């Protein structure tokens, strides 16, 4: 095939947090033991296969997407896809059971479908299209989740999953906590448990931008205030009042304390919202080049004043253009702690510039991944291994697990 | 702990035949990503944990053995065991379900316990002591297997498993095939399916030595002739006659063709043998140094004229003496194709010398491993991957698996 | 010493352009062969030892500087210097002959001292202080060179060499070519040999900024127009006229064509300038933190509107502060093709921002190195090796060298 | 060219004892930085180029030999020589001055030619053919040296250098010391300085075999007893008497104490021997396969009872046969401390077997290298670097060199 081993993008995965496997040299020891090259391990949820499984609408689609994985480049710079290795069929066979959703139940006996878990940082962070469609087919209401804040989770849910699966949500819930609003209002970690209406008022700017973003997509969200013991009425009412001024209902959700009972108010508000459902409006057009998609999200959705590209990112974009992947959807890889790419900029930052450090590609999943920071695909373990304190006695009684 | 990373003996394992992972350099990329060192992956059955599980008589014993794993050496050359890392408890927790035998049944409805599968080349090649004892407790007769020929399988079964588990078999079956005797009689691979009584007569020398070896251990074996379609009566009778001359019954076993029905003759012979059971006599004494154990096996059991040690083996033995492991039992790592360490020496070779290239240690499993050749702990895949021809259609129908 | 091998900054050097040695893993093969770690080779002129030799004023100073080399960090993050390894004495012995200047002569018999050649991209790009002082002691006029344009060469010559050696030049020559002014006036490479007074007029903005920069340092430069055959009188006079308007004399230098004879006009102008010598005025103050030095050069000397720092650069600066090297002089590592860090911005760019990607340190040479781009410390060879065409016959006659 | 990077045999060299460079992985960091592969550095005298320079009879021969260097193998297992890379011409140019002998003088004013120094362990251990022929052309007598004992030095001098250069020595001197004979007589290192005639008598067996070996080659050697202060007359006379019984003159050489004056007796004996010069008779025939050459040397020249080959050595010999290098001359790589491959077997061991661990090839130098032990091509440095104690003061006065 002429595959240049130095260009292989595909990494092995393992479900073990083993930092020493992040960067390795393999194929050493002579001609019987492979070709020497640099690579590394990721953990399983960071695998493009996970992202693909969740983006697939059928076994046929799964096979096509697996075949579309970009493996690397030939010495003549042309791309090699998994289909060129005749690997897609065997990969699909390995996934023949994995593609089927799993039905479980909640503590209160409600049915729940668990299916797929791609990382929210470098992938779409939401479950399979197949499971969502199965839920919609089986029940009056199907509720699903999108990982991280609405700047990442909701945006990717809409522009990636809903576009690929031809879905449109009847209602959207933005989850907030008084504690997080205090944080966005400038309160330090130590003081976050103390009531502070002033900080909540300041921090509301963050929630406000999330609500505006939902409205930008043509959605009318319900805000769920996830209740904590030290929330004060004053703080909660402040948030509800401000939401109301934006035309949005904010409901206290007491599921953690009271189970289904505590969620009834929220459920009623969501049902009401769903009855007024409107089709959503994408912010990004499919035909746009990747840069335009990035810049539109950066300025309109995150509030940045502009976007800078490192030379690596420029080169990556040029390479994607050369192999006709220059108009892929984008799956932004940005910190979940700020609208910006700086985790310390809380609230609703403005005037900042985003730096695109690199652009990776998940051609099988069907998106480009602009990298706006340092991302971990193989977590580490604590300095003192938790294993140290664990034991099991002769009767099988385990101690030391916390 | 002062552990010298260059001396770490412990390898990662993975259940995937990936030759490029045999020799790798890990921990690259800077201070956040571990310490650079050379290591590699083995496949799971080659892990010392598998050997330990099969040698353990209880959860307590398992924990002790896991703690005895030799991880490496400090910069001052003193050994570091898994217990020094406080890792044994957590490892035992991971094995809390694995330590329990699995009950399955044969096609004819007989109960069978499946439990443990250490490699026969570098480990003891036989199932767990716990499963064997469970079988003995639950039935009148418990039958188990020891991998490879009797020079390796039976010898390790007796000196490792029976010693550790305080077991003594009531009867022993040596399995032979007419085809293999033709091979040991000098017939080339292409002609092995053709009847050749002369070759069988010559090749019997190999079986004869295996029978003598059983007798050397105080056991009176039954020979099972595993029937093949092109065996001739002349050949079979020749083997039976020669066995009889050695005081041993040889029975044709037709299990492959006729199931339990075809095994009844063998079963009756084994029952008869079991009724005359004698305690076995070890060839090796526990207190002997490793060299004496190796040399006794080499000369008395394999028929060698002597043993040579490479400088690596000399150094390894000296190191084991220094850390008080100089009298461990031995688990010979030798080719299964010959009594010698040369796979091409068929029949009953004599006058050859064995070369010990290295001596490894499985301190948790409780044995030293004299290395008499090149051993594979991570198999490779064929030049053309089998995956190439596989596919699955939209209905989940798989093709291309053979 | 507790030196963390992953933090060792010191690279080996070799005088061979061998790209495969840029990034290597060493110390493999076991305990007898060093400690595994990642490192690489640079070529000799990129060694800090070369920079140190050129910055040293005496053998004592050389020893001190060699001892100040930052080798790496301990596991506890404290720095390890070459003096901690007791390596400075032996290194100084190796340099005992190298520290002595070499006297050679020009084709016309003038004495010339050749001594030291640090890279102009990552080091100071000018010869030894000892050689310069020897020249000043031996002759009425000592002329020396500073590599790259005046934005790099002259700036480093003044702020690094003159400060360290307590030198002040009596006169400064800025070398220009009509060809380069055409280039800065926007002419493409193919058309650079064609006279184009308009382009020269436009490109003069570049020379103007260099002259202004000299004046900013309190120096009154002479401009040498290095004559080329296709310079036109109109172009030359245009440059001379513009220089005159800035109060600077521009003289045509014909040394390439006419040797010493062709340089007499320039020599007379320099002598005249030297007779009106004024002490120079540093733009940077020694006590300033590194950021202030970088930003002052960026805005006042290069014409940038501001400076951005990557996270790597921020971390590197924090680390230098921690080890009390936060106020070192700076040795800018910037492209020589533009006042900016973008080689394509010709002429006199304005409004651009500089990005500091990293900050390295040459603690022995005595400066921090802000990295503003990709720098090559081990050049490569052409795709088809020049060696292919070379030969030598039996009489020692060489062919194939071009 | 299709060169498989994993098979490249050619290593870089450096004149620095840097053990961490013995085993390295290079070409890391991506497509701009070469191809990843495992390799290492040797020191310069271990380079095949040194061996080639010393085996060459002219510039033309040098070029041919450089072109014959075996660089590695293609993916299809065919060999790649330096000539296939068009590298021989450029390499020869680099050696155009090195090929010319250097004339120096001794303290007494005698001319001496210094030219070439290949390792005696893995190469021929003697100077260039060109220098030896120049010496023969310029003087009545030319004296040269062959490194290590006569089992290695003289054998290689004759079978490699004399065959390649069509030389035949007029006389041979075997150098012995009373001290070494005590050692071969079984005396421990501590007691070697004490007179011990009995040990000398026993140790003479070693010298006797060297003398016999010379006679086996058709040479009549003179023995030089290199005088030490604590030699006794009794010991010296014993050696002289025993030599006489073998028909060989043994002369005391006092060059170390008395210079040329002290060597006159030896010189007279050598002149007398040279006047009776006979052509030498090779022990090995050029057309023999490598195994026959090894086994003839082992049994007739070293006194071994036979030769064993590791699987690596068998494979290496098969590979040399495949590329038509199966009849190369051999350059034995054996310890210089014993006739056997075990450095501890002193005197004149018998009945031992030699183990050939591997067979390397220096196809340009023109010989195969049977490896009989562990050979160092990149020496290490002491645990405490000698550099630690070195210094130089401001006047250039060096201290700490011993």
């Amino acid at each position: 095939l002429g595959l240049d081993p130095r260009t292989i993008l595909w990494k092995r995965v393992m479900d073990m947090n083993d930092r020493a496997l992040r960067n390795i040299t393999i194929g050493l020891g002579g001609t019987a033991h492979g070709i020497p090259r640099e690579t590394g391990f990721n953990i399983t949820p960071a695998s493009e296969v996970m992202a693909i499984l969740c983006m697939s609408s059928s076994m046929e689609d799964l096979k096509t997407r697996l075949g579309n994985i970009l493996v690397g480049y030939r010495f003549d710079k042309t791309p090699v896809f998994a289909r060129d290795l005749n690997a897609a069929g065997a990969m699909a066979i390995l996934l023949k059971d994995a593609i089927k959703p799993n039905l479980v139940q909640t503590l209160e006996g409600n049915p729940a479908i668990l299916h797929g878990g791609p990382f929210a940082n470098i992938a779409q962070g939401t479950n399979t299209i197949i499971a969502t469609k199965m839920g919609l087919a089986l029940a009056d209401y199907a509720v699903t989740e999108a990982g991280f804040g609405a700047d990442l989770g909701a945006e990717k849910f809409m522009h990636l999953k809903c576009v690929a699966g031809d879905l449109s949500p009847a209602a959207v819930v933005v989850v907030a906590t008084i504690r997080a609003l205090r944080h966005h209002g400038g309160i330090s970690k130590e003081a976050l448990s103390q009531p502070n209406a002033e900080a909540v008022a300041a921090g509301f700017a963050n929630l406000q931008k999330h609500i505006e973003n939902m409205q930008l997509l043509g959605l009318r969200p319900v805000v769920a205030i996830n209740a904590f013991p030290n929330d004060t009425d004053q703080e909660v009412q402040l948030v509800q009042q401000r939401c109301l001024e934006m035309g949005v209902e904010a409901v206290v959700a007491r599921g953690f304390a009271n189970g289904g009972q505590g969620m009834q108010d929220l459920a009623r508000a969501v049902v009401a919202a769903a009855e007024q459902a409107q089709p959503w409006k994408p912010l990004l057009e499919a035909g746009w080049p990747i840069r335009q998609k990035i810049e539109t999200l950066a300025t309109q959705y995150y509030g940045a004043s502009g976007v800078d590209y490192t030379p690596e990112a420029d080169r990556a974009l040029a390479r994607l253009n050369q192999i006709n992947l220059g108009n892929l959807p984008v799956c932004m890889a940005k910190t979940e702690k700020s609208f910006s790419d700086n985790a310390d900029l809380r609230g609703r930052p403005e005037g900042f510039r985003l730096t695109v450090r690199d652009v990776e590609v998940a051609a099988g999943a069907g998106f480009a991944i602009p990298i706006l920071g340092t991302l971990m695909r193989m977590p580490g373990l604590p300095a003192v291994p938790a294993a140290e304190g664990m034991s099991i006695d002769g009767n099988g009684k385990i101690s030391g697990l916390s």
Side-chain angles (χ1 to χ4, degrees), chain A:
Chain A
L1 275 166
L3 181 58
D4 181 348
R6 299 166 299 179
T7 66
I8 297 176
L9 300 163
W10 191 249
K11 293 193 163 191
R12 287 162 175 82
V13 295
M14 177 181 261
D15 246 358
M16 177 76 82
N17 292 355
D18 190 344
R19 76 179 69 209
L21 292 180
R22 285 179 195 149
N23 301 292
I24 66 178
T25 308
I26 65 166
L28 305 176
T31 52
H33 311 299
I35 301 275
R37 66 183 181 89
E38 296 171 272
T39 183
F41 275 82
N42 291 338
I43 63 166
T44 308
S47 169
E48 187 181 344
V49 174
M50 179 65 92
I52 286 172
L53 183 74
C54 293
M55 292 295 278
S56 296
S57 52
S58 68
M59 175 57 83
E60 283 302 327
D61 188 32
L62 177 71
K63 272 199 296 183
T64 305
R65 288 176 181 274
L66 291 170
N68 285 345
I69 292 170
L70 179 62
V71 175
Y73 293 87
R74 293 186 184 83
F75 283 101
D76 67 5
K77 313 286 186 202
T78 56
V80 176
F81 296 96
R83 58 180 176 262
D84 300 321
L85 303 172
N86 294 327
M91 291 175 81
I93 293 172
L94 289 174
L95 295 170
K96 78 179 168 52
D97 295 320
I99 202 176
K100 296 176 189 156
N102 308 291
L103 182 65
V104 298
Q105 61 179 333
T106 68
L107 289 177
E108 298 182 353
N110 289 311
I113 297 172
L114 283 184
H115 201 217
F119 260 24
N121 58 1
I122 54 146
Q124 72 270 40
T126 177
N127 72 337
T128 67
I129 288 176
I130 289 173
T132 298
K133 289 195 168 177
M134 180 178 282
L136 287 167
L138 294 174
D140 292 336
Y141 295 91
V143 178
T144 189
E145 193 208 4
F148 288 168
D151 54 330
L152 291 167
E155 187 274 314
K156 292 176 182 180
F157 185 88
M158 301 309 301
H159 285 118
L160 295 175
K161 181 171 178 176
C162 290
V163 168
D166 196 16
L167 298 165
S168 187
V172 166
V173 178
V174 172
V175 181
T177 65
I178 297 301
R179 184 182 170 86
L181 294 175
R182 288 176 200 144
H183 167 78
H184 280 292
I187 300 305
S188 68
K189 203 174 172 187
E190 297 70 29
L192 277 184
S193 299
Q194 295 164 22
N196 189 330
E198 208 169 316
V200 170
F204 185 81
N206 182 273
L207 179 55
Q208 183 178 28
K209 176 65 176 154
H210 283 301
I211 295 169
E212 288 175 14
N213 283 347
M214 292 302 100
Q215 293 168 336
L216 203 59
L217 298 174
L219 303 163
R220 224 189 83 202
V222 176
V223 169
I225 303 174
N226 196 6
F228 274 62
N230 46 27
D231 297 350
T232 63
D233 286 351
Q234 185 191 7
E235 290 169 317
V236 169
Q237 285 160 14
L238 188 153
V239 173
Q240 289 178 317
Q241 177 60 31
R242 290 285 183 89
C243 286
L244 218 56
E245 290 165 10
M246 296 181 74
V248 168
E249 189 177 1
V251 186
V252 177
R254 304 193 186 278
F256 186 82
N258 304 341
Q261 188 72 24
M263 300 299 275
Q264 289 190 359
D265 289 351
L266 178 61
R268 270 188 289 264
V270 171
V271 167
E275 276 160 16
Q276 299 174 19
Q278 300 282 336
W280 75 288
K281 297 172 303 186
L283 187 63
L284 310 173
E285 288 185 24
W288 288 354
I290 291 169
R291 274 179 213 269
Q292 188 174 359
K293 289 169 178 157
I294 294 172
E295 286 157 21
T296 302
L297 287 176
T299 53
Q300 296 193 38
Y301 209 80
Y302 303 156
S305 60
V307 179
D308 299 317
Y309 297 84
T310 64
E312 288 74 26
D314 284 335
R315 274 197 299 273
L317 286 169
R319 211 156 41 222
L320 288 179
N321 275 331
Q322 279 161 18
I323 61 174
N324 298 316
L325 297 174
N327 298 336
L328 280 180
V330 294
C331 178
M332 303 296 279
K334 182 181 73 67
T335 178
E336 75 278 17
K337 298 187 177 157
S338 171
F339 278 108
S340 76
D341 56 358
N342 175 351
D344 297 332
L345 286 186
R346 299 187 243 177
R348 181 178 184 162
E350 284 181 350
F352 63 88
R353 295 183 70 81
L354 273 190
T355 302
V356 179
R357 298 187 184 195
D358 201 353
V359 180
E360 303 194 357
V361 67
F367 45 72
I369 309 168
I371 306 291
L372 310 182
T374 307
L375 299 167
M376 189 58 72
R377 286 153 202 225
M378 170 61 92
L381 289 171
V384 177
E388 288 232 347
M390 297 180 190
S391 195
I392 181 168
D393 70 13
N395 299 317
K397 185 162 168 213
I398 295 172
S399 57
L401 294 181
S402 57

